[in-house]
Amino acid sequence: MGDSLKPSSSGSATGNPRNKAALKPGCSLMDWIRLGNSGVDLTGVNGVRRTVSKKELARHNKRNDAWLAIRGKVYNVTRYMEFHPGGEEELMRGVGIDATKLFNDVHAWVNYESLLQKCIVGSLGEADTEGAFIVPRTKSSSKLSAASGQNPAKKLIEQTRNISIATNAVWSSSDWFQQLTFICLIFYLKATVMQLHISLTEDSNLILKLNQALHNVKLESTVRWPCKVKLNPTVGKVELEFRKVESALWRTFGVLMKNVPSEIVSSSWKMTVIKSDSITHDTKILVLKYVDCVYNYVPVGCHVMFEAVIDGKVVERPYTPVVSVHPEYPVESSIECLNFMIKSYDNGLLSKWLCSLPTGAVVSVSAPLCVFNPSLLNGRKKLVILAAGTGITPMFSVINWAVHTSSQRLSVSVIFFNKSECDILWGEQLNKLMIDNERFKVENVLSNGSSSWTGKRGRISVEIVQSELPDRQNSGEDNPFTLICGPVNFNQTAESILQKLGYQHEDYYCFH
Ligand code: HEM
């Protein structure tokens, strides 16, 4: 997503149109972010954090005085009411109470911490919150394990020991094992991985955030950064492998600290530009690397916010990190880096600034924000993507997931709208994917193609969309799902075409 796009707030977490709320103009996600940055006190307590008892929380249960608690933190959601995509009535269900379970039942993947970062009143003071801190188990097993990667010739000793299992922990089980040169921590979560943050401090403190639950492991000894991250989000398995600074067997993995304060994880990080390459006349690929030892998993279709002070103004914009969709066109894949496709718009303060950054420059990037969930595609056989210009950027991770990772064997058809040949982003890569993968297809449509352009011409229309998306009632076995992303007018036209063709809200999702 680039700064030509003005996000508003349609789109549904579950695809269930009954749950969708029509938000008033001026109440989009971007409007909310703007309000948060305007300096207005959203906490209602002048930003002075305090401990809130359950009794006090219960008193703030009105629409014009609404507090709720999630995972031990109390938020003032009074101002968020009209911005909540699920509507005021729904949000009111969680007001005045510890809403952790309710929130998780509805949309555990929503990054409430980023959205409500300016609304924190304090922490919930009573011990009976539903947080997920860890109680180390007294019983532990130690056994020889046949994990991969060991060299029997070296007779390396390996130990496996259960770290801990707490009743409310975010993981259902966890293991660790080691060889002389590395240590591996494995977590089996109870749910799809939607959030994974890792940071390593100089004094060997490993901060882990797994689906909103925070853990702090004081490692037995020093390790190198970066670690290796193996992630199977749908199965809920997270594997972290750290190289030891000194070859030695550790007595234990370290100590698991309890009651980790959530302030320990920042909501934005500094990243350095390590590469800035032009890919078209006005678009660059920017490779950014975290300054500190930090890793943030960005789930499919999720974005981050860039923040910068330009000409004395604070500017924020969402950008979706891009991934390569064909192995012949690799992008930087180190866990320390994120790749962004930035188009420089004439009137785009931030995009122009980002495109002008030299290597070594530092930018501020937020934690990933997720409003799209690939589970919307469950049960579908075909994915149709309608993208215009930089609207293709959030689609790369979706295409990569749908074609290479998902077990659903979806067929994917992209209709990609641009002005002229030179505007087609990663056109060669998409074409190569089409040649190599029979389940993937891309059609480029140009509004102002050169005289030698032999492909389709025009703008988004019923006829063009119909070439991939028949009337809903004739779609038969295909059961297609559509993703839309482009400038505001494009999105509106695409949605109205889909509705004309008989598609319902649960049949499409619009990235704004
Ligand atoms: C605790 C009480 C809450 C309830 C009962 C609730 C309920 C809902 C419902 C029913 C939806 C619509 C789902 C759909 O379209 O399928 C929704 C969407 C949403 N809610 Fe909440 N919500 C709650 C709290 C929150 C909070 C605290 C936040 C964050 C600050 C939040 C952020 C969102 C977002 C971003 C969406 C849109 C998700 C998407 O499009 O995928 N909600 N909520």
Side-chain angles (χ1 to χ4, degrees), residues 9-17 19-21 29 32 68 70 75 77 80 83-87 89-95 99-100 102-104 106-107 109-113 115-116 370-373 376 509:
S9 53
S10 77
S12 132
T14 62
N16 182 348
N19 291 338
K20 284 187 66 150
L29 173 62
W32 173 245
L68 57 72
I70 304 179
Y75 301 91
V77 292
Y80 186 62
F83 294 85
H84 178 230
E89 290 303 319
E90 284 291 332
L91 188 53
M92 279 305 291
R93 291 170 57 206
V95 161
T100 310
L102 183 58
F103 179 89
N104 285 343
V106 187
H107 41 34
W109 64 87
V110 167
N111 195 339
Y112 69 94
E113 283 168 302
L115 290 168
L116 299 181
C370 297
V371 281
F372 167 72
N373 190 325
L376 288 173
Y509 183 91

Side-chain angles (χ1 to χ4, degrees), residues 156 178-183 204 220-225 242-251:
L156 291 173
Q178 62 175 323
Q179 291 189 2
L180 281 172
T181 52
F182 70 83
I183 172 156
S204 302
E220 168 94 355
S221 190
T222 41
V223 290
R224 292 186 201 284
W225 186 263
F242 294 91
R243 276 173 305 137
K244 295 173 178 173
V245 170
E246 278 170 29
S247 279
L249 279 178
W250 292 5
R251 197 176 39 85

Side-chain angles (χ1 to χ4, degrees), residues 210-498:
L210 284 164
N211 285 2
Q212 293 158 9
L214 259 181
H215 308 283
N216 181 358
V217 181
K218 172 89 181 126
L219 292 170
E220 168 94 355
S221 190
T222 41
V223 290
R224 292 186 201 284
W225 186 263
C227 63
K228 272 191 207 158
V229 180
K230 265 200 227 159
L231 196 59
N232 190 333
T234 25
V235 173
K237 187 176 173 192
V238 177
E239 211 175 313
L240 312 177
E241 187 184 305
F242 294 91
R243 276 173 305 137
K244 295 173 178 173
V245 170
E246 278 170 29
S247 279
L249 279 178
W250 292 5
R251 197 176 39 85
T252 170
F253 64 91
V255 182
L256 203 54
M257 319 292 270
K258 279 199 263 174
N259 299 336
V260 187
S262 53
E263 291 78 22
I264 207 161
V265 178
S266 161
S267 54
S268 67
W269 293 270
K270 297 268 172 270
M271 295 191 87
T272 319
V273 178
I274 59 164
K275 221 170 168 192
S276 175
D277 289 342
S278 292
I279 52 161
T280 70
H281 58 108
D282 58 6
T283 305
K284 285 190 165 179
I285 292 284
L286 217 60
V287 184
L288 302 184
K289 183 173 179 232
Y290 286 105
V291 170
D292 296 319
C293 301
V294 168
Y295 165 74
N296 279 306
Y297 163 56
V298 185
V300 171
C302 298
H303 60 270
V304 296
M305 300 297 292
F306 275 76
E307 189 187 282
V309 181
I310 306 168
D311 300 339
K313 280 187 219 148
V314 179
V315 197
E316 274 201 333
R317 291 283 181 272
Y319 279 96
T320 309
V322 291
V323 297
S324 150
V325 294
H326 193 282
E328 277 177 29
Y329 301 84
V331 288
E332 180 54 59
S333 61
S334 155
I335 68 150
E336 300 174 280
C337 295
L338 294 174
N339 302 274
F340 295 92
M341 202 177 257
I342 317 272
K343 174 168 171 172
S344 174
Y345 291 95
D346 288 341
N347 55 354
L349 209 54
L350 185 68
S351 66
K352 265 203 293 195
W353 181 79
L354 286 171
C355 283
S356 70
L357 289 178
T359 50
V362 172
V363 292
S364 176
V365 176
S366 80
L369 285 158
C370 297
V371 281
F372 167 72
N373 190 325
S375 68
L376 288 173
L377 276 77
N378 285 353
R380 307 284 174 160
K381 296 213 168 118
K382 179 170 178 176
L383 170 64
V384 176
I385 290 175
L386 304 176
T390 49
I392 194 74
T393 52
M395 303 303 183
F396 288 119
S397 66
V398 180
I399 294 170
N400 186 50
W401 166 81
V403 174
H404 302 303
T405 321
S406 162
S407 53
Q408 270 173 257
R409 295 198 57 77
L410 283 158
S411 70
V412 182
S413 291
V414 179
I415 311 183
F416 191 12
F417 297 85
N418 281 289
K419 208 165 168 191
S420 61
E421 287 94 325
C422 63
D423 297 312
I424 304 175
L425 298 169
W426 277 359
E428 204 180 291
Q429 182 171 166
L430 291 168
N431 277 333
K432 191 87 181 39
L433 181 63
M434 175 161 68
I435 293 164
D436 290 358
N437 196 307
E438 56 182 19
R439 285 193 288 122
F440 180 78
K441 198 172 147 191
V442 59
E443 168 116 74
N444 288 297
V445 182
L446 299 182
S447 61
N448 194 16
S450 70
S451 53
S452 58
W453 177 249
T454 52
K456 272 198 182 147
R457 290 174 186 269
R459 292 177 191 276
I460 187 163
S461 65
V462 175
E463 294 68 40
I464 292 178
V465 173
Q466 257 176 334
S467 64
E468 279 309 325
L469 214 53
D471 281 11
R472 175 77 168 98
Q473 64 215 47
N474 302 332
S475 66
E477 287 287 282
D478 272 357
N479 195 14
F481 187 89
T482 303
L483 288 175
I484 304 165
C485 191
V488 180
N489 290 347
F490 175 87
N491 291 347
Q492 283 166 352
T493 313
E495 286 199 50
S496 69
I497 290 174
L498 290 183

